[in-house]
Structures are given as C-alpha cells and as structure tokens.
Amino acid sequence: MTYKMEVGNIIITPENIFPLLAEKQMIAPLAREIILDQAIANIQCSPEETAMAEQQFFMQMQLNPNDTEKLQGWLERNYLTREQLQQRILRNTKLEKYKEETWSNEIESYYLKRKNQLDKIVYSLIRTTNVGQAQELYFRICEGEKEFSEIARAYSQGAEAETGGLMGPVELSVPHPQIAQKLMTSQPGEVLPPMRIGEWNVILRLEKYLVAPLDGNMKRRLLDELFNNWLNEQLQKQVKFQLSRE
C-alpha cells in the first residue's frame, strides 16, 4: 500500500516526508509525541477518569458524542479513527498519572535543591553610569538626607525610576546574578554600597525576602519541571538520524 497526500501543488510521499518534516522543524515535536506515547502505554484509567476526560473533551470541542453523523464528520476532517480519538481523549489524563507515579516522591528533595532560585525578593535599585554620582547618592541615603525612593525617581537611569526604584516581587533567578547574590546575604532595609555591574554603578536595598512555600501550585510546577527535564533527556538519548545518499 502506498500513501500520498496532496496540499495544493505539493505531493507528500514516503520518499519526501522526512526532508519536509525537517524543513518545517517538526521532527522534534513528532519525536516528543512518540516518546510520550511509549511512556504512558501501560497507564490505565478508571471508568470515572475516562468519563470525566470524555466530558471535558467534548465540551471543549463543542461536540455531541451522541450525534454520530456530526462526530463522524469531525473525525474525517481531523483524519482520526474512533480508536485514535479515544486515545487522544485519555492522553492528558494518562500523562498526569504518569507524572505523579514517576516523580511525586522526588518533589520535596527537588524543592530543597531549587529553593534558592524559587524564593522571591522585593528590593529597591538605583543605577547610574557615573561612579562619583553613585557614591554621592549612597552617602545621601545613608545620612537620611532624602528617601531612597526620592533619589531613585530623580537620579536612577533605568525604568525603575518610575517606581521609586522598587522592584519585585521576583524570584531570585530573575535579577542579575551579582544582584541576587548580594541581596541573599543582606538584611531588609540595609542599603548596600555601590557595586559595578557592566556599565552601571548600582545601589541596592532589600525590602522583603519571601520564602517560596511548597504548596499545591509549587508542587504542580516542580512536577512539570521534573517531567520536562526527563523529556529533554529522552529526546537527546532516543532520537537518532540516519541519512542515506544512495
């Protein structure tokens, strides 16, 4: 049996499908789907889980599963069989169960490993390209001549001037690494002497340090991170190319 598909004046055949997938950058997404299918192949769904997945799918697609004529038309337009549709409906449910079964026991240790990057800070920042001005502004703040926010609005040369220098809350992975490192070891309210970062002379003050809680949302995020780390590793290990020029 020979397959081919016509799209306008382009005829897609087994002979030209691989170069076309490569050109359209679709090989990695295809490989990803194959790896996931293999991973969840043995995951079972209960009748309740199946019923819930079907209900959500048909509502999202605005399809009536009892209208066989319209359902068949939808299947034909999407080049799916009824069996393939059922696999598609259950795929997300199976994938979430696979994540839980595989990595739920690793979340706490992974959280501790990532915690310094997940914690958030609120801080104030003044930056100027003039080193002498930075020193002067620092002493004016320390001596209480003016508030940090007033000086930031008047002299800071970045967008932070509009907020009186106030930044955040942001995760510690967001600021420049030198800024994050300094703020991690400072106390709230402490004004740090000017430090050089690239072209800028930066004055910092930590306002708040917010510890990231290991709540439901964080567990969900870390579970997805562990899954994505695994998936990227599998893409590197499992995807192999063979190019024959006969």
Side-chain angles (χ1 to χ4, degrees), residues 4 21 28 96 115 151 155 202 206 209 213 215 229 236 239 246:
K4 72 174 183 178
L21 288 172
E96 292 306 315
K115 188 176 178 300
I151 290 181
Y155 297 101
V202 178
L206 178 65
Y209 193 100
D215 55 16
N229 291 342
Q236 294 295 322
V239 179
E246 296 180 355

Side-chain angles (χ1 to χ4, degrees), residues 62-74:
Q62 297 182 335
L63 285 172
N64 181 354
N66 298 318
D67 190 334
T68 55
E69 185 177 343
K70 286 188 177 179
L71 180 57
Q72 185 59 36
W74 186 90

Side-chain angles (χ1 to χ4, degrees), residues 122-126 148 164-167 183 203-207:
V122 179
Y123 65 102
S124 292
L125 164 75
I126 297 171
F148 195 111
L166 196 63
M167 308 286 284
L183 292 173
I203 305 169
L204 298 168
R205 182 175 72 186
L206 178 65
E207 306 294 346

Side-chain angles (χ1 to χ4, degrees), residues 40-224:
I40 65 175
N42 296 323
I43 300 293
Q44 301 297 317
C45 293
S46 68
E48 294 77 15
E49 290 169 333
T50 300
M52 179 64 72
E54 289 177 345
Q55 181 182 19
Q56 292 176 345
F57 177 83
F58 287 118
M59 285 182 62
Q60 182 180 359
M61 294 293 107
Q62 297 182 335
L63 285 172
N64 181 354
N66 298 318
D67 190 334
T68 55
E69 185 177 343
K70 286 188 177 179
L71 180 57
Q72 185 59 36
W74 186 90
L75 289 170
E76 291 175 1
R77 290 192 300 274
N78 288 275
Y79 309 101
L80 292 171
T81 65
R82 192 66 175 85
E83 181 182 354
Q84 289 171 326
L85 174 61
Q86 188 67 14
Q87 292 174 354
R88 174 175 171 179
I89 289 172
L90 294 179
R91 200 166 193 271
N92 283 341
T93 302
K94 289 185 174 184
L95 186 56
E96 292 306 315
K97 293 184 71 172
Y98 177 74
K99 292 179 187 178
E100 288 285 345
E101 291 177 8
T102 308
W103 293 287
S104 60
N105 292 334
E106 298 180 26
I107 289 178
E108 289 192 17
S109 60
Y110 185 63
Y111 164 76
L112 294 174
K113 180 181 177 181
R114 291 267 286 115
K115 188 176 178 300
N116 284 344
Q117 297 168 304
L118 298 170
D119 289 345
K120 294 184 177 182
I121 51 173
V122 179
Y123 65 102
S124 292
L125 164 75
I126 297 171
R127 55 178 162 168
T128 174
T129 55
N130 188 317
V131 61
Q133 184 184 50
Q135 289 290 344
E136 179 187 349
L137 296 176
Y138 169 70
F139 288 125
R140 289 173 67 181
I141 294 169
C142 292
E143 292 170 2
E145 182 179 329
K146 282 193 176 182
E147 291 293 327
F148 195 111
S149 60
E150 291 182 78
I151 290 181
R153 289 184 187 278
Y155 297 101
S156 195
Q157 296 175 346
E160 68 281 345
E162 297 180 5
T163 61
L166 196 63
M167 308 286 284
V170 294
E171 291 181 357
L172 277 164
S173 58
V174 173
H176 188 282
Q178 288 179 253
I179 290 178
Q181 186 61 40
K182 284 289 185 181
L183 292 173
M184 282 177 63
T185 57
S186 67
Q187 297 298 316
E190 179 185 0
V191 181
L192 302 179
M195 57 185 293
R196 187 79 177 181
I197 301 178
E199 65 177 315
W200 299 107
N201 299 280
V202 178
I203 305 169
L204 298 168
R205 182 175 72 186
L206 178 65
E207 306 294 346
K208 292 181 182 178
Y209 193 100
L210 307 171
V211 176
L214 188 57
D215 55 16
N217 289 334
M218 182 59 71
K219 288 180 179 179
R220 174 77 266 166
R221 171 180 169 178
L222 297 179
L223 188 65
D224 286 338

